[in-house]
């Protein structure tokens, strides 16, 4: 009789065990984990806690294991639960008993916290590069569209003419704030937990600063209990990612609108649209829509991790293993979205004619007409009312402001004079000549500043 038949009420041992397994997602930490182990072994030898020969054997064994993993030949074993146990067991197979000395003065608790911080720092670097690439693409389109006018919207109603370059620069600045957040996230992740051991600190004279330098950390943690159980750096990343995806989702929504026939402001390159299987005329903006949709899971992971951490007593609890999947998925999703958006923005065709038509059709010079009257002494509130009446009349007669005669203007206010007919989109733009405004001069200056900012941001 098999064991299973003797204990019919118990679940399959493998099913129970699989509940604790993290190998399928934590194996992506192998480089960071092995780097941490090599630094630890070398430090142990430097401190005379281990012989140089043993440290060398361990180091060589770990390098060989890393290569094995990269060649896809590592014999992963689910029953060993996680990456750390897999590497250690394999090291034992390769170099024997000596492998056991690696864990002197160390615990999986400070080991995994260190690997996650190394990984998070790299994720910040990659994310920052992705942000810069998208900023570059936005800037290129903006520079190419310094004279392109389109309606600026409030309430999704045509409001005032703006330069397309001005509109695109708005996204540049959102991304600039995202970059700040990821630089700060990286700075906070840049603290090494190794030496904290299980929770109370290692009982050996470890040279923590030397290890930090070896691993490229700028600082060492100041409290072993905090170091073991802190995952704030992952929250920082995920919070910054949630905001970043929100920005990309807003840009995505504009692309969805702009590429529709109703707007017709841009045409997305073939690579970023798909056809319909039954409606041959369609060019669906799937990439933008997916980015909008994927924002949801990124928000979800942030709340997920906050909830994992909430109420956890110090120090390590197995709950902390649940920090990984959401974080990895968030980093993957954000980085992939940035990678798609840069070429999508760069390759989109701007339909400047359509933008101009929409600008002229929308009575968007209404504010300028009210300002015109205000400059002639009409209180602005009253001027606003006059222009509202004038606009109703123009709409009823199917005319644009430019098509109205001076006599028609004068019916609404004696303060209108011949020069009212000189109010154009270009004048309207030029009038917005404040720092941060859409006047062409100001936008040209803003573009130059943005270009400088981007060029200065060559490192994280
Ligand atoms: N896989 C574990 C995690 O990611 C490693 C740490 C395990 N430590 C422990 N005391 N069981 O959290």
């Amino acid at each position: 009789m098999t064991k299973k038949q003797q204990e019919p009420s118990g679940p399959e041992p493998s099913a129970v065990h699989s509940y604790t397994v993290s190998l399928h997602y934590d194996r992506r930490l192998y480089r960071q984990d092995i780097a941490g182990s090599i630094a630890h072994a070398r430090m142990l030898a430097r401190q005379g806690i281990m012989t140089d020969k043993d440290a060398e054997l361990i180091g060589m064994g770990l390098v060989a294991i890393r290569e094995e993993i990269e060649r896809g030949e590592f014999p992963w074993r689910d029953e060993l639960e996680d990456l750390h146990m897999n590497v250690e067991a394999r090291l034992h197979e390769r170099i024997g008993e000596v492998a056991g000395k690696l864990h002197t003065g160390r615990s999986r608790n400070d080991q995994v916290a260190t690997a996650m911080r190394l990984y998070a720092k790299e994720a910040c670097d990659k994310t920052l590069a992705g942000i810069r690439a998208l900023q570059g693409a936005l800037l290129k389109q903006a520079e190419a569209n310094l004279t392109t006018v389109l309606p600026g919207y409030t309430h999704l109603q045509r409001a005032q003419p703006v330069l397309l370059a001005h509109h695109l620069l708005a996204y540049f600045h959102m991304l600039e704030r995202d970059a700040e957040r990821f630089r700060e996230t990286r700075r906070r992740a840049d603290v090494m937990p190794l030496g904290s051991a299980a929770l109370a600190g290692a009982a050996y004279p470890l040279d923590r600063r030397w290890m930090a330098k070896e691993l490229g950390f700028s600082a060492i943690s100041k409290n072993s209990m905090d170091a073991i159980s802190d995952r704030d750096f992952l929250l920082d990343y995920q919070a910054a990612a949630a905001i970043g995806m929100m920005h990309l989702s807003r840009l995505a929504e504009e692309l969805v609108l702009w590429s529709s026939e109703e707007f017709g402001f841009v045409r997305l390159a073939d690579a970023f649209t798909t056809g319909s299987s039954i409606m041959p005329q369609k060019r669906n903006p799937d990439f933008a829509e997916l980015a909008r949709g994927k924002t949801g899971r990124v928000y979800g992971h942030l709340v997920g991790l906050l909830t994992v951490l909430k109420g956890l007593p110090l120090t390590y609890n197995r709950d902390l293993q649940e920090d990984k999947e959401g974080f990895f998925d968030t980093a993957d999703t954000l980085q992939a979205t940035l990678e798609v958006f840069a070429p999508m923005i760069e390759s989109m065709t701007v339909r400047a004619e359509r933008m101009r038509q929409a600008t002229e059709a929308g009575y968007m010079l209404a504010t300028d007409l009210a300002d015109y009257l205000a400059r002639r002494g009409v209180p602005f509130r009253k001027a606003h009312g006059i222009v509202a009446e004038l606009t109703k009349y123009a709409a009823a007669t199917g005319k644009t402001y430019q098509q109205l005669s001076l006599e028609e203007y004068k019916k609404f206010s004696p303060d209108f004079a011949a020069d009212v007919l000189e109010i154009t989109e270009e004048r309207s733009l030029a009038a917005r000549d404040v720092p941060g405004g859409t006047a062409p001069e100001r936008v040209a200056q803003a573009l130059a500043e943005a270009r400088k900012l981007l060029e200065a941001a060559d490192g994280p």
Side-chain angles (χ1 to χ4, degrees):
M1 240 206 260
T2 66
K3 196 162 181 267
K4 197 178 147 207
Q5 282 166 320
Q6 284 166 348
E7 297 165 6
S9 58
E12 285 262 5
S14 65
V16 172
H17 175 81
S18 72
Y19 194 72
T20 64
V21 176
S22 57
L23 183 62
H24 50 291
Y25 53 82
D26 70 13
R27 53 165 97 171
R28 68 157 81 191
L29 292 168
Y30 77 91
R31 265 193 309 110
Q32 293 78 8
D33 184 61
I34 287 174
S37 292
I38 292 175
H40 181 71
R42 291 182 58 194
M43 181 277 301
L44 289 177
R46 278 174 60 92
Q47 298 300 97
I49 302 166
M50 180 193 281
T51 65
D52 286 342
K53 196 171 152 270
D54 285 351
E56 206 169 302
L57 214 57
I58 288 173
M60 276 162 46
L62 287 168
V63 168
I65 287 172
R66 187 175 62 210
E67 287 166 1
E68 216 171 27
I69 293 173
E70 277 163 3
R71 283 198 308 271
E73 289 166 7
F74 187 92
W76 296 106
R77 288 163 57 189
D78 250 1
E79 66 274 20
L80 293 176
E81 281 192 3
D82 65 13
L83 163 78
H84 319 290
M85 303 297 271
N86 266 267
V87 171
E88 197 181 327
R90 185 70 182 145
L91 188 63
H92 197 274
E93 278 170 16
R94 295 187 72 111
I95 67 170
E97 279 292 300
V98 180
K101 297 190 177 178
L102 173 60
H103 224 47
T104 312
R106 192 179 70 167
S107 147
R108 258 194 300 162
N109 296 352
D110 57 347
Q111 185 180 354
V112 72
T114 301
M116 284 302 275
R117 281 177 179 269
L118 285 172
Y119 190 97
K121 281 170 61 182
E122 285 182 34
C124 287
D125 290 342
K126 258 198 220 160
T127 308
L128 281 163
I131 290 173
R132 282 197 286 275
L134 178 52
Q135 282 182 307
L138 287 163
L139 216 48
K140 255 197 204 167
Q141 276 290 2
E143 283 161 350
N145 284 286
L146 195 43
T147 56
T148 306
V149 186
L150 81 162
Y153 293 81
T154 60
H155 312 273
L156 204 54
Q157 308 278 316
R158 292 172 186 168
Q160 290 175 354
V162 293
L163 288 177
L164 178 57
H166 196 57
H167 194 126
L168 295 174
L169 274 175
Y171 285 99
F172 178 95
H173 288 290
M174 288 181 223
L175 290 165
E176 190 56 31
R177 294 193 293 277
D178 292 326
E180 275 171 29
R181 275 183 279 272
F182 282 106
R183 279 193 287 266
E184 177 61 18
T185 296
R186 190 190 191 283
R187 196 184 65 72
R188 282 192 246 187
D190 196 14
V191 178
M192 188 196 71
L194 269 188
S196 303
L199 76 159
Y204 297 85
L206 307 187
D207 188 344
R208 299 189 63 210
R209 284 185 205 289
W210 186 86
M211 281 194 288
K213 225 173 141 206
E214 274 289 287
L215 292 170
F217 280 108
S218 308
I220 58 175
S221 55
K222 293 191 193 314
N223 179 295
S224 62
M225 298 178 79
D226 181 37
I228 289 313
S229 56
D230 171 31
R231 295 295 183 273
D232 291 1
F233 60 104
L234 299 180
L235 286 176
D236 281 336
Y237 185 95
Q238 299 199 61
I243 297 173
M245 282 299 291
M246 176 272 288
H247 290 153
L248 296 178
S249 174
R250 294 182 74 172
L251 179 54
E253 175 61 13
E254 301 227 70
L255 294 178
V256 170
L257 289 170
W258 287 5
S259 64
S260 70
E261 204 37 53
E262 281 70 14
F263 276 78
F265 287 180
V266 298
R267 187 182 157 88
L268 296 174
D270 290 346
F272 299 102
T273 59
T274 60
S276 153
S277 47
I278 53 166
M279 297 168 281
Q281 84 283 12
K282 292 197 48 174
R283 294 175 56 79
N284 302 328
D286 293 39
F287 287 75
E289 291 171 289
L290 276 168
R292 200 173 54 187
K294 284 174 188 287
T295 303
R297 66 202 279 167
V298 170
Y299 290 0
H301 294 321
L302 170 61
V303 176
L305 183 58
L306 280 167
T307 313
V308 165
L309 296 173
K310 175 188 173 297
L312 271 195
L314 290 177
T315 52
Y316 183 85
N317 300 274
R318 193 63 181 270
D319 315 44
L320 288 172
Q321 181 168 294
E322 290 292 313
D323 64 350
K324 292 178 189 63
E325 281 172 294
F327 166 66
F328 291 149
D329 185 62
T330 291
D332 291 348
T333 302
L334 176 57
Q335 285 159 16
T337 306
L338 288 166
E339 267 166 40
V340 163
F341 269 53
M344 181 160 68
I345 292 291
E346 201 167 330
S347 62
M348 80 184 181
T349 308
V350 171
R351 301 174 72 185
E353 251 333 283
R354 290 289 302 253
M355 290 185 178
R356 152 106 12 213
Q357 283 161 11
T359 311
E360 287 170 357
Y363 297 110
M364 275 186 299
L365 300 179
T367 318
D368 298 271
L369 288 173
D371 286 337
Y372 172 97
L373 292 175
R375 271 189 222 105
R376 274 160 185 72
V378 182
F380 186 82
R381 288 286 180 208
K382 189 171 173 212
H384 181 281
I386 293 167
V387 176
E389 288 305 312
L390 174 81
T391 306
K392 254 188 238 162
Y393 168 81
T397 55
K399 292 181 184 174
T400 66
Y401 288 139
Q402 277 99 342
Q403 289 166 340
L404 295 175
S405 68
L406 182 57
E407 288 64 46
E408 286 172 304
Y409 274 102
K410 280 193 177 292
K411 271 192 233 161
F412 294 88
S413 168
D415 292 295
F416 282 123
D419 57 353
V420 73
L421 301 171
E422 288 162 22
I423 294 175
T424 59
E425 283 73 23
E426 275 63 34
R427 287 253 178 133
S428 166
L429 287 169
R432 265 106 199 132
D433 186 22
V434 290
T438 194
E441 293 275 294
R442 297 286 184 176
V443 174
Q445 205 180 317
L447 273 175
E449 280 166 23
R451 179 55 71 199
K452 246 200 242 153
L453 204 63
L454 196 58
E455 274 160 16
D458 45 13

